[in-house]
């Protein structure tokens, strides 16, 4: 069967599953409480034993995978202990914010690589890979952007930014999130694209343009399309999976140099809407386009869980291991990065605080850099993953 026919058949399946999911959603939500309670109880009983003393990066490497995390430069400079733990666990580092427009571009005609270069230096010192995040995103424009950029000069700003930054790091970057979060099906476009300034100024071709400029500036880097809300079985998440798949197909059909999909993987513990079958089909469809897959921003929201830390950590760990055991079965998945390594430094502190104001616990290390059950969960997922 030709690739087109195969994918069309898949799309019909996706669309019908998405419709059915929509109809079922209300039924499912009525069962939400029961399912969630069952999941919580199951996760409490779950075995989280690990074998041996290897670090996360060593367990990943044993299966041909890469494990690492995001961090900010101040976290490593202000806390030498954390810098040691980070090097012990991580084989790749992604700057959480230092390679975004807001950090790199103090003025329209200036680039400031100081903080991102500090992180590259740390990564090189500890023989870590370095990944870039992100050239094109609606989420981190510098203050001057809205006033200075328009439909006449947007292409120049976009191409100059990517060419300058990609060239600055050429040959020293494992992968770039070239375009981040370009899909938002709720915006109502048939192509599912998010209404961002780039789309407004340049039309939908801005995505292909970004990848082509990045490939020319750094032919060695793996070029990634990165997005979120692809993990669960919600009608909007399933619609987004389909829209992302069709975007990737369109890009590939034009010969665009896109090499991988980044699935952010911001998980929610005790989430009943986790459908292993639909996730496996999605991962396999992405891989069938000849693309690699990276888990780029893994963390687990615990805001709806009980206050008790033992219970909470078990549920967070269970969600993490359940998800990773599915995604790591797909051999196109080459890397797992968590969005932070320690609970001391997580964006969720401000973005998704707990109603009881207790500190959130979404990451492998606690706020004193001690390994948690979530560390065990990731370790077990690597230990049980098929070798690449
Ligand atoms: O650096 C400035 C500082 O000078 C200023 O005093 C301070 C107070 O306004 O803000 C600082 O910038 C903050 C920046 O993080 C660095 O800490 C921004 O306000 C804040 O909005 C920014 O938040 C980041 C957010 O992306 C937006 O860029 C989060 O830390 C970061 O975790 C989050 O990461 C995103 C990924 O890039 C894409 N996927 C989703 C993920 C979570 O939202």
């Amino acid at each position: 069967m030709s690739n087109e026919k195969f994918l069309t058949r898949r799309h019909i399946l996706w669309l019908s599953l998405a419709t059915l999911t929509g109809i079922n959603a209300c039924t499912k939500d009525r069962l939400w409480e029961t399912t969630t309670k069952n999941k919580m109880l199951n996760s409490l009983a779950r075995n989280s034993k690990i074998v041996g003393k290897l670090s996360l990066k060593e367990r990943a490497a044993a299966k041909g995978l890469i494990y690492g995390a995001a961090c900010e430069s101040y976290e490593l400079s202000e806390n030498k202990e954390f810098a040691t733990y980070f090097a012990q666990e991580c084989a790749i580092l992604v700057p959480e914010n230092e390679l975004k427009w807001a950090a790199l571009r103090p003025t329209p005609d200036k680039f400031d690589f100081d903080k991102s270069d500090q992180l590259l230096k740390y990564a090189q010192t500890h023989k870590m890979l370095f990944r870039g995040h992100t050239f094109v995103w609606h989420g981190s424009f510098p203050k001057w952007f809205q006033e200075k950029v328009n439909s006449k000069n947007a292409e120049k700003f976009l191409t100059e930014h990517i060419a300058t930054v990609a060239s600055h790091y050429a040959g020293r970057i494992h992968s770039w999130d070239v375009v981040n979060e370009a899909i938002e099906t709720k915006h109502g476009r048939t192509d599912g694209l998010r209404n961002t300034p780039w789309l407004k100024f340049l039309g939908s071709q801005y995505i292909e343009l970004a990848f082509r400029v990045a490939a020319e500036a750094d032919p060695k880097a793996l070029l990634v399309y990165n997005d979120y809300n692809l993990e669960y079985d919600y009608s909007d998440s399933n619609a987004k999976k389909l829209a992302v798949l069709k975007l990737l197909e369109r890009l590939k059909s034009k010969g665009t140099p896109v090499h991988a999909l980044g699935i952010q993987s911001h998980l929610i513990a005790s989430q009943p809407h986790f459908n292993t079958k639909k996730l496996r089909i999605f991962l396999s469809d992405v891989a069938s386009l000849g693309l690699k897959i990276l888990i780029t921003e893994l963390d687990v929201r615990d805001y709806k869980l009980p206050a008790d830390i033992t219970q909470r950590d078990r549920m967070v760990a269970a969600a993490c291991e359940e998800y990773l055991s599915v995604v790591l079965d797909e051999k196109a998945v080459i890397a797992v990065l968590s969005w932070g390594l320690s609970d001391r430094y997580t964006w969720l502190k401000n973005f998704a605080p707990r109603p009881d104001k207790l500190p959130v616990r979404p990451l492998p290390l606690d706020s004193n850099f001690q390994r948690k059950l979530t560390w065990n969960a990731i370790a077990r997922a690597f230990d049980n993953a098929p070798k690449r």
Side-chain angles (χ1 to χ4, degrees), residues 70 72 74 95-98 100 102-103 115 133-134 137 139-141 143 177 180-181 226-228 264 266 296-297 299 301 339 346-348 350-351:
E72 293 197 81
Y74 82 90
E96 185 166 349
N97 293 298
E98 289 80 353
K100 295 173 182 173
K115 289 189 177 164
H133 171 84
T134 176
W137 184 36
S140 172
F141 286 127
K143 289 188 177 63
D177 288 336
N180 187 46
E181 304 177 12
N226 192 50
D227 217 326
Y228 69 99
Q264 291 184 14
H266 292 294
T296 50
E297 305 183 14
D299 52 23
R301 236 168 273 183
W339 205 240
T346 172
W347 69 292
L348 289 172
N350 304 320
F351 185 79

mmCIF file of all heavy atoms in Angstrom, residues 70 72 74 95-98 100 102-103 115 133-134 137 139-141 143 177 180-181 226-228 264 266 296-297 299 301 339 346-348 350-351, ligand 1:
data_model
loop_
_atom_site.group_PDB
_atom_site.id
_atom_site.type_symbol
_atom_site.label_atom_id
_atom_site.label_comp_id
_atom_site.label_asym_id
_atom_site.label_seq_id
_atom_site.Cartn_x
_atom_site.Cartn_y
_atom_site.Cartn_z
ATOM 1 N N ALA A 70 16.603 20.131 31.255
ATOM 2 C CA ALA A 70 16.703 21.586 31.063
ATOM 3 C C ALA A 70 17.260 22.203 32.339
ATOM 4 O O ALA A 70 17.056 21.666 33.441
ATOM 5 C CB ALA A 70 15.325 22.168 30.768
ATOM 6 N N GLU A 72 18.605 26.402 33.972
ATOM 7 C CA GLU A 72 18.960 27.802 33.735
ATOM 8 C C GLU A 72 20.366 28.047 34.263
ATOM 9 O O GLU A 72 20.803 27.399 35.233
ATOM 10 C CB GLU A 72 17.957 28.728 34.430
ATOM 11 C CG GLU A 72 16.554 28.646 33.824
ATOM 12 C CD GLU A 72 15.679 29.828 34.211
ATOM 13 O OE1 GLU A 72 15.796 30.891 33.587
ATOM 14 O OE2 GLU A 72 14.877 29.672 35.141
ATOM 15 N N TYR A 74 21.722 30.297 36.061
ATOM 16 C CA TYR A 74 21.911 30.683 37.479
ATOM 17 C C TYR A 74 21.864 29.460 38.407
ATOM 18 O O TYR A 74 22.488 29.418 39.453
ATOM 19 C CB TYR A 74 20.866 31.724 37.891
ATOM 20 C CG TYR A 74 19.519 31.146 38.271
ATOM 21 C CD1 TYR A 74 19.245 30.783 39.584
ATOM 22 C CD2 TYR A 74 18.528 30.928 37.307
ATOM 23 C CE1 TYR A 74 18.018 30.238 39.936
ATOM 24 C CE2 TYR A 74 17.295 30.394 37.642
ATOM 25 C CZ TYR A 74 17.039 30.037 38.949
ATOM 26 O OH TYR A 74 15.837 29.487 39.288
ATOM 27 N N PRO A 95 19.161 24.609 27.483
ATOM 28 C CA PRO A 95 18.885 25.839 28.223
ATOM 29 C C PRO A 95 17.375 26.060 28.305
ATOM 30 O O PRO A 95 16.691 26.049 27.261
ATOM 31 C CB PRO A 95 19.556 26.922 27.385
ATOM 32 C CG PRO A 95 20.601 26.197 26.593
ATOM 33 C CD PRO A 95 20.018 24.839 26.305
ATOM 34 N N GLU A 96 16.878 26.242 29.538
ATOM 35 C CA GLU A 96 15.422 26.393 29.705
ATOM 36 C C GLU A 96 14.921 27.678 29.044
ATOM 37 O O GLU A 96 13.825 27.706 28.469
ATOM 38 C CB GLU A 96 15.077 26.394 31.193
ATOM 39 C CG GLU A 96 13.612 26.418 31.482
ATOM 40 C CD GLU A 96 13.282 26.068 32.934
ATOM 41 O OE1 GLU A 96 14.175 25.611 33.676
ATOM 42 O OE2 GLU A 96 12.114 26.255 33.312
ATOM 43 N N ASN A 97 15.750 28.736 29.128
ATOM 44 C CA ASN A 97 15.313 30.035 28.576
ATOM 45 C C ASN A 97 16.381 30.801 27.802
ATOM 46 O O ASN A 97 16.049 31.740 27.075
ATOM 47 C CB ASN A 97 14.824 30.926 29.718
ATOM 48 C CG ASN A 97 13.550 30.375 30.332
ATOM 49 O OD1 ASN A 97 12.531 30.266 29.648
ATOM 50 N ND2 ASN A 97 13.600 29.975 31.598
ATOM 51 N N GLU A 98 17.643 30.424 27.984
ATOM 52 C CA GLU A 98 18.735 31.269 27.496
ATOM 53 C C GLU A 98 18.890 31.301 25.983
ATOM 54 O O GLU A 98 19.653 32.150 25.475
ATOM 55 C CB GLU A 98 20.055 30.820 28.138
ATOM 56 C CG GLU A 98 20.189 31.151 29.623
ATOM 57 C CD GLU A 98 19.444 30.174 30.539
ATOM 58 O OE1 GLU A 98 18.701 29.288 30.031
ATOM 59 O OE2 GLU A 98 19.627 30.283 31.755
ATOM 60 N N LYS A 100 16.169 31.569 23.951
ATOM 61 C CA LYS A 100 14.925 32.118 23.402
ATOM 62 C C LYS A 100 15.162 33.571 22.998
ATOM 63 O O LYS A 100 16.121 34.220 23.460
ATOM 64 C CB LYS A 100 13.806 32.041 24.457
ATOM 65 C CG LYS A 100 13.425 30.606 24.827
ATOM 66 C CD LYS A 100 12.444 30.586 25.993
ATOM 67 C CE LYS A 100 12.104 29.164 26.391
ATOM 68 N NZ LYS A 100 11.282 29.106 27.626
ATOM 69 N N ALA A 102 13.751 36.262 23.890
ATOM 70 C CA ALA A 102 13.735 37.237 24.998
ATOM 71 C C ALA A 102 15.096 37.323 25.674
ATOM 72 O O ALA A 102 15.502 38.386 26.155
ATOM 73 C CB ALA A 102 12.664 36.837 26.018
ATOM 74 N N ALA A 103 15.823 36.216 25.693
ATOM 75 C CA ALA A 103 17.141 36.195 26.363
ATOM 76 C C ALA A 103 18.260 36.619 25.420
ATOM 77 O O ALA A 103 19.231 37.261 25.831
ATOM 78 C CB ALA A 103 17.405 34.789 26.899
ATOM 79 N N LYS A 115 24.829 34.172 28.515
ATOM 80 C CA LYS A 115 24.312 33.098 29.394
ATOM 81 C C LYS A 115 24.243 31.753 28.673
ATOM 82 O O LYS A 115 24.524 30.705 29.242
ATOM 83 C CB LYS A 115 22.936 33.493 29.940
ATOM 84 C CG LYS A 115 23.017 34.624 30.961
ATOM 85 C CD LYS A 115 21.710 34.864 31.656
ATOM 86 C CE LYS A 115 21.853 35.957 32.726
ATOM 87 N NZ LYS A 115 20.530 36.482 33.146
ATOM 88 N N HIS A 133 16.837 25.441 22.250
ATOM 89 C CA HIS A 133 15.379 25.630 22.349
ATOM 90 C C HIS A 133 15.132 27.125 22.490
ATOM 91 O O HIS A 133 15.530 27.689 23.539
ATOM 92 C CB HIS A 133 14.858 24.851 23.575
ATOM 93 C CG HIS A 133 13.449 25.122 23.922
ATOM 94 N ND1 HIS A 133 12.396 24.465 23.318
ATOM 95 C CD2 HIS A 133 12.902 25.990 24.789
ATOM 96 C CE1 HIS A 133 11.273 24.917 23.837
ATOM 97 N NE2 HIS A 133 11.542 25.834 24.722
ATOM 98 N N THR A 134 14.547 27.879 21.600
ATOM 99 C CA THR A 134 13.955 27.471 20.348
ATOM 100 C C THR A 134 13.998 28.678 19.421
ATOM 101 O O THR A 134 13.911 29.825 19.871
ATOM 102 C CB THR A 134 12.497 26.992 20.544
ATOM 103 O OG1 THR A 134 11.925 26.684 19.282
ATOM 104 C CG2 THR A 134 11.641 28.017 21.263
ATOM 105 N N TRP A 137 8.945 30.688 18.269
ATOM 106 C CA TRP A 137 7.897 30.405 19.251
ATOM 107 C C TRP A 137 7.164 31.702 19.552
ATOM 108 O O TRP A 137 7.774 32.781 19.540
ATOM 109 C CB TRP A 137 8.522 29.821 20.527
ATOM 110 C CG TRP A 137 7.544 29.394 21.579
ATOM 111 C CD1 TRP A 137 6.320 28.821 21.379
ATOM 112 C CD2 TRP A 137 7.727 29.506 23.002
ATOM 113 N NE1 TRP A 137 5.734 28.560 22.586
ATOM 114 C CE2 TRP A 137 6.569 28.963 23.610
ATOM 115 C CE3 TRP A 137 8.745 29.987 23.820
ATOM 116 C CZ2 TRP A 137 6.409 28.908 24.980
ATOM 117 C CZ3 TRP A 137 8.603 29.926 25.191
ATOM 118 C CH2 TRP A 137 7.434 29.390 25.774
ATOM 119 N N GLY A 139 5.987 32.284 22.446
ATOM 120 C CA GLY A 139 5.944 32.405 23.906
ATOM 121 C C GLY A 139 7.046 33.216 24.547
ATOM 122 O O GLY A 139 7.110 33.304 25.774
ATOM 123 N N SER A 140 7.974 33.768 23.763
ATOM 124 C CA SER A 140 9.069 34.474 24.451
ATOM 125 C C SER A 140 9.650 35.565 23.570
ATOM 126 O O SER A 140 10.822 35.551 23.180
ATOM 127 C CB SER A 140 10.160 33.463 24.822
ATOM 128 O OG SER A 140 11.294 34.118 25.322
ATOM 129 N N PHE A 141 8.795 36.520 23.201
ATOM 130 C CA PHE A 141 9.271 37.641 22.375
ATOM 131 C C PHE A 141 9.894 38.703 23.283
ATOM 132 O O PHE A 141 9.370 38.961 24.367
ATOM 133 C CB PHE A 141 8.114 38.265 21.602
ATOM 134 C CG PHE A 141 7.624 37.440 20.440
ATOM 135 C CD1 PHE A 141 6.276 37.112 20.320
ATOM 136 C CD2 PHE A 141 8.506 36.977 19.469
ATOM 137 C CE1 PHE A 141 5.810 36.352 19.246
ATOM 138 C CE2 PHE A 141 8.051 36.222 18.400
ATOM 139 C CZ PHE A 141 6.709 35.906 18.293
ATOM 140 N N LYS A 143 10.698 42.599 24.492
ATOM 141 C CA LYS A 143 9.713 43.693 24.594
ATOM 142 C C LYS A 143 9.567 44.493 23.304
ATOM 143 O O LYS A 143 8.520 44.957 22.918
ATOM 144 C CB LYS A 143 10.108 44.623 25.761
ATOM 145 C CG LYS A 143 9.898 43.972 27.134
ATOM 146 C CD LYS A 143 10.091 44.954 28.266
ATOM 147 C CE LYS A 143 9.810 44.320 29.635
ATOM 148 N NZ LYS A 143 10.736 43.214 29.960
ATOM 149 N N ASP A 177 15.182 22.740 18.614
ATOM 150 C CA ASP A 177 13.736 22.914 18.453
ATOM 151 C C ASP A 177 13.574 24.113 17.532
ATOM 152 O O ASP A 177 13.554 25.258 17.994
ATOM 153 C CB ASP A 177 13.046 23.175 19.807
ATOM 154 C CG ASP A 177 13.000 21.944 20.680
ATOM 155 O OD1 ASP A 177 13.070 20.827 20.141
ATOM 156 O OD2 ASP A 177 12.909 22.101 21.917
ATOM 157 N N ASN A 180 8.471 25.761 17.686
ATOM 158 C CA ASN A 180 7.849 25.260 18.909
ATOM 159 C C ASN A 180 6.372 25.670 18.959
ATOM 160 O O ASN A 180 6.038 26.834 18.768
ATOM 161 C CB ASN A 180 8.587 25.844 20.122
ATOM 162 C CG ASN A 180 8.123 25.242 21.432
ATOM 163 O OD1 ASN A 180 7.994 24.036 21.549
ATOM 164 N ND2 ASN A 180 7.820 26.081 22.398
ATOM 165 N N GLU A 181 5.505 24.675 19.166
ATOM 166 C CA GLU A 181 4.075 24.918 19.447
ATOM 167 C C GLU A 181 3.344 25.708 18.346
ATOM 168 O O GLU A 181 2.611 26.653 18.610
ATOM 169 C CB GLU A 181 3.936 25.632 20.808
ATOM 170 C CG GLU A 181 4.589 24.847 21.944
ATOM 171 C CD GLU A 181 4.538 25.560 23.283
ATOM 172 O OE1 GLU A 181 3.820 26.561 23.418
ATOM 173 O OE2 GLU A 181 5.226 25.101 24.218
ATOM 174 N N ASN A 226 8.675 20.838 17.769
ATOM 175 C CA ASN A 226 8.395 20.532 19.173
ATOM 176 C C ASN A 226 6.990 21.003 19.561
ATOM 177 O O ASN A 226 6.589 22.124 19.214
ATOM 178 C CB ASN A 226 9.438 21.254 20.046
ATOM 179 C CG ASN A 226 9.435 20.782 21.493
ATOM 180 O OD1 ASN A 226 9.482 19.589 21.761
ATOM 181 N ND2 ASN A 226 9.386 21.717 22.425
ATOM 182 N N ASP A 227 6.225 20.152 20.266
ATOM 183 C CA ASP A 227 4.890 20.600 20.683
ATOM 184 C C ASP A 227 4.406 19.853 21.928
ATOM 185 O O ASP A 227 5.031 18.872 22.360
ATOM 186 C CB ASP A 227 3.880 20.435 19.526
ATOM 187 C CG ASP A 227 2.860 21.584 19.488
ATOM 188 O OD1 ASP A 227 2.499 22.078 20.588
ATOM 189 O OD2 ASP A 227 2.439 21.979 18.384
ATOM 190 N N TYR A 228 3.310 20.303 22.498
ATOM 191 C CA TYR A 228 2.763 19.731 23.740
ATOM 192 C C TYR A 228 1.320 19.266 23.505
ATOM 193 O O TYR A 228 0.770 19.444 22.429
ATOM 194 C CB TYR A 228 2.798 20.779 24.865
ATOM 195 C CG TYR A 228 1.824 21.931 24.657
ATOM 196 C CD1 TYR A 228 0.587 21.964 25.308
ATOM 197 C CD2 TYR A 228 2.124 22.960 23.769
ATOM 198 C CE1 TYR A 228 -0.302 23.003 25.097
ATOM 199 C CE2 TYR A 228 1.228 24.005 23.539
ATOM 200 C CZ TYR A 228 0.017 24.019 24.209
ATOM 201 O OH TYR A 228 -0.878 25.045 23.980
ATOM 202 N N GLN A 264 6.677 17.278 24.126
ATOM 203 C CA GLN A 264 7.090 17.924 25.372
ATOM 204 C C GLN A 264 6.823 17.032 26.597
ATOM 205 O O GLN A 264 7.670 16.924 27.488
ATOM 206 C CB GLN A 264 6.380 19.266 25.543
ATOM 207 C CG GLN A 264 6.850 20.313 24.542
ATOM 208 C CD GLN A 264 6.241 21.677 24.755
ATOM 209 O OE1 GLN A 264 5.658 21.939 25.804
ATOM 210 N NE2 GLN A 264 6.352 22.562 23.777
ATOM 211 N N HIS A 266 4.582 17.132 29.199
ATOM 212 C CA HIS A 266 4.228 17.699 30.518
ATOM 213 C C HIS A 266 3.030 16.901 31.016
ATOM 214 O O HIS A 266 1.885 17.154 30.641
ATOM 215 C CB HIS A 266 3.886 19.193 30.392
ATOM 216 C CG HIS A 266 5.075 20.046 30.026
ATOM 217 N ND1 HIS A 266 6.155 20.221 30.867
ATOM 218 C CD2 HIS A 266 5.349 20.746 28.913
ATOM 219 C CE1 HIS A 266 7.047 21.009 30.281
ATOM 220 N NE2 HIS A 266 6.588 21.339 29.086
ATOM 221 N N THR A 296 10.934 15.826 25.131
ATOM 222 C CA THR A 296 11.758 17.032 25.302
ATOM 223 C C THR A 296 11.587 17.784 26.614
ATOM 224 O O THR A 296 12.489 18.535 27.003
ATOM 225 C CB THR A 296 11.441 18.026 24.159
ATOM 226 O OG1 THR A 296 10.014 18.185 24.084
ATOM 227 C CG2 THR A 296 11.980 17.523 22.828
ATOM 228 N N GLU A 297 10.441 17.621 27.321
ATOM 229 C CA GLU A 297 10.201 18.482 28.500
ATOM 230 C C GLU A 297 9.441 17.733 29.602
ATOM 231 O O GLU A 297 8.526 18.229 30.206
ATOM 232 C CB GLU A 297 9.412 19.731 28.079
ATOM 233 C CG GLU A 297 10.066 20.523 26.940
ATOM 234 C CD GLU A 297 9.322 21.781 26.573
ATOM 235 O OE1 GLU A 297 8.450 22.215 27.342
ATOM 236 O OE2 GLU A 297 9.609 22.366 25.511
ATOM 237 N N ASP A 299 7.858 16.306 32.725
ATOM 238 C CA ASP A 299 7.659 16.512 34.162
ATOM 239 C C ASP A 299 6.227 16.071 34.471
ATOM 240 O O ASP A 299 5.455 15.780 33.558
ATOM 241 C CB ASP A 299 7.932 17.957 34.608
ATOM 242 C CG ASP A 299 7.188 19.015 33.790
ATOM 243 O OD1 ASP A 299 6.139 18.680 33.166
ATOM 244 O OD2 ASP A 299 7.637 20.172 33.760
ATOM 245 N N ARG A 301 2.772 16.914 36.715
ATOM 246 C CA ARG A 301 2.030 17.822 37.585
ATOM 247 C C ARG A 301 1.356 17.034 38.717
ATOM 248 O O ARG A 301 0.722 16.019 38.467
ATOM 249 C CB ARG A 301 0.941 18.524 36.761
ATOM 250 C CG ARG A 301 0.999 20.023 36.801
ATOM 251 C CD ARG A 301 0.098 20.637 35.766
ATOM 252 N NE ARG A 301 0.772 20.787 34.487
ATOM 253 C CZ ARG A 301 0.207 21.370 33.420
ATOM 254 N NH1 ARG A 301 -1.042 21.792 33.495
ATOM 255 N NH2 ARG A 301 0.872 21.516 32.308
ATOM 256 N N TRP A 339 12.071 18.443 32.113
ATOM 257 C CA TRP A 339 12.088 19.929 32.127
ATOM 258 C C TRP A 339 12.530 20.389 33.503
ATOM 259 O O TRP A 339 11.740 20.865 34.308
ATOM 260 C CB TRP A 339 10.738 20.489 31.700
ATOM 261 C CG TRP A 339 10.814 21.882 31.128
ATOM 262 C CD1 TRP A 339 10.193 23.011 31.599
ATOM 263 C CD2 TRP A 339 11.554 22.309 29.981
ATOM 264 N NE1 TRP A 339 10.507 24.109 30.828
ATOM 265 C CE2 TRP A 339 11.339 23.704 29.835
ATOM 266 C CE3 TRP A 339 12.383 21.671 29.045
ATOM 267 C CZ2 TRP A 339 11.913 24.458 28.807
ATOM 268 C CZ3 TRP A 339 12.952 22.419 28.026
ATOM 269 C CH2 TRP A 339 12.730 23.794 27.915
ATOM 270 N N THR A 346 11.671 24.259 39.215
ATOM 271 C CA THR A 346 10.638 23.834 38.247
ATOM 272 C C THR A 346 9.700 24.993 37.949
ATOM 273 O O THR A 346 9.246 25.692 38.842
ATOM 274 C CB THR A 346 9.819 22.634 38.759
ATOM 275 O OG1 THR A 346 8.719 22.406 37.847
ATOM 276 C CG2 THR A 346 9.250 22.862 40.146
ATOM 277 N N TRP A 347 9.359 25.106 36.665
ATOM 278 C CA TRP A 347 8.432 26.170 36.234
ATOM 279 C C TRP A 347 7.055 25.955 36.840
ATOM 280 O O TRP A 347 6.255 26.868 36.979
ATOM 281 C CB TRP A 347 8.334 26.202 34.717
ATOM 282 C CG TRP A 347 7.644 25.003 34.132
ATOM 283 C CD1 TRP A 347 8.100 23.712 34.125
ATOM 284 C CD2 TRP A 347 6.361 24.962 33.501
ATOM 285 N NE1 TRP A 347 7.190 22.881 33.531
ATOM 286 C CE2 TRP A 347 6.110 23.616 33.130
ATOM 287 C CE3 TRP A 347 5.409 25.922 33.207
ATOM 288 C CZ2 TRP A 347 4.932 23.211 32.479
ATOM 289 C CZ3 TRP A 347 4.225 25.536 32.569
ATOM 290 C CH2 TRP A 347 4.007 24.193 32.222
ATOM 291 N N LEU A 348 6.757 24.682 37.215
ATOM 292 C CA LEU A 348 5.424 24.345 37.730
ATOM 293 C C LEU A 348 5.157 24.987 39.092
ATOM 294 O O LEU A 348 4.008 25.123 39.513
ATOM 295 C CB LEU A 348 5.267 22.827 37.818
ATOM 296 C CG LEU A 348 5.159 22.118 36.465
ATOM 297 C CD1 LEU A 348 5.200 20.603 36.635
ATOM 298 C CD2 LEU A 348 3.895 22.537 35.713
ATOM 299 N N ASN A 350 5.351 28.004 39.833
ATOM 300 C CA ASN A 350 4.495 29.192 39.577
ATOM 301 C C ASN A 350 3.330 28.866 38.654
ATOM 302 O O ASN A 350 2.244 29.384 38.825
ATOM 303 C CB ASN A 350 5.330 30.326 38.927
ATOM 304 C CG ASN A 350 6.524 30.681 39.797
ATOM 305 O OD1 ASN A 350 6.401 30.730 41.015
ATOM 306 N ND2 ASN A 350 7.691 30.848 39.180
ATOM 307 N N PHE A 351 3.552 27.974 37.684
ATOM 308 C CA PHE A 351 2.519 27.730 36.670
ATOM 309 C C PHE A 351 1.392 26.854 37.215
ATOM 310 O O PHE A 351 0.235 27.063 36.877
ATOM 311 C CB PHE A 351 3.133 27.050 35.437
ATOM 312 C CG PHE A 351 2.156 26.868 34.306
ATOM 313 C CD1 PHE A 351 1.835 27.936 33.467
ATOM 314 C CD2 PHE A 351 1.528 25.637 34.111
ATOM 315 C CE1 PHE A 351 0.926 27.774 32.418
ATOM 316 C CE2 PHE A 351 0.614 25.470 33.081
ATOM 317 C CZ PHE A 351 0.322 26.538 32.232
HETATM 318 O O1 LIG B 1 14.962 36.881 32.903
HETATM 319 C C1 LIG B 1 13.858 37.686 33.353
HETATM 320 C C2 LIG B 1 14.290 38.529 34.537
HETATM 321 O O2 LIG B 1 15.270 39.474 34.094
HETATM 322 C C3 LIG B 1 13.069 39.271 35.094
HETATM 323 O O3 LIG B 1 13.450 39.994 36.243
HETATM 324 C C4 LIG B 1 12.014 38.223 35.480
HETATM 325 C C5 LIG B 1 10.766 38.838 36.071
HETATM 326 O O4 LIG B 1 9.919 39.265 35.032
HETATM 327 O O5 LIG B 1 11.627 37.473 34.299
HETATM 328 C C6 LIG B 1 12.740 36.749 33.788
HETATM 329 O O6 LIG B 1 12.326 36.054 32.625
HETATM 330 C C7 LIG B 1 11.491 34.923 32.908
HETATM 331 C C8 LIG B 1 12.148 33.686 32.265
HETATM 332 O O7 LIG B 1 11.293 32.529 32.411
HETATM 333 C C9 LIG B 1 13.530 33.375 32.882
HETATM 334 O O8 LIG B 1 13.364 32.966 34.203
HETATM 335 C C10 LIG B 1 10.132 35.170 32.239
HETATM 336 O O9 LIG B 1 9.483 36.225 32.921
HETATM 337 C C11 LIG B 1 9.288 33.904 32.329
HETATM 338 O O10 LIG B 1 8.090 34.068 31.563
HETATM 339 C C12 LIG B 1 10.054 32.724 31.708
HETATM 340 O O11 LIG B 1 9.238 31.558 31.879
HETATM 341 C C13 LIG B 1 9.658 30.426 31.080
HETATM 342 C C14 LIG B 1 8.569 30.162 30.019
HETATM 343 O O12 LIG B 1 8.908 28.984 29.265
HETATM 344 C C15 LIG B 1 8.443 31.309 29.023
HETATM 345 O O13 LIG B 1 9.637 31.445 28.305
HETATM 346 C C16 LIG B 1 9.789 29.221 32.005
HETATM 347 O O14 LIG B 1 10.879 29.410 32.908
HETATM 348 C C17 LIG B 1 10.050 27.980 31.166
HETATM 349 O O15 LIG B 1 10.046 26.806 31.995
HETATM 350 C C18 LIG B 1 8.952 27.813 30.109
HETATM 351 O O16 LIG B 1 9.311 26.726 29.296
HETATM 352 C C19 LIG B 1 8.357 26.391 28.266
HETATM 353 C C20 LIG B 1 9.131 25.940 27.050
HETATM 354 O O17 LIG B 1 10.015 26.959 26.622
HETATM 355 C C21 LIG B 1 8.181 25.515 25.933
HETATM 356 N N1 LIG B 1 7.266 24.466 26.398
HETATM 357 C C22 LIG B 1 6.502 24.856 27.606
HETATM 358 C C23 LIG B 1 7.447 25.237 28.730
HETATM 359 C C24 LIG B 1 6.677 25.583 29.987
HETATM 360 O O18 LIG B 1 5.892 26.730 29.767
#
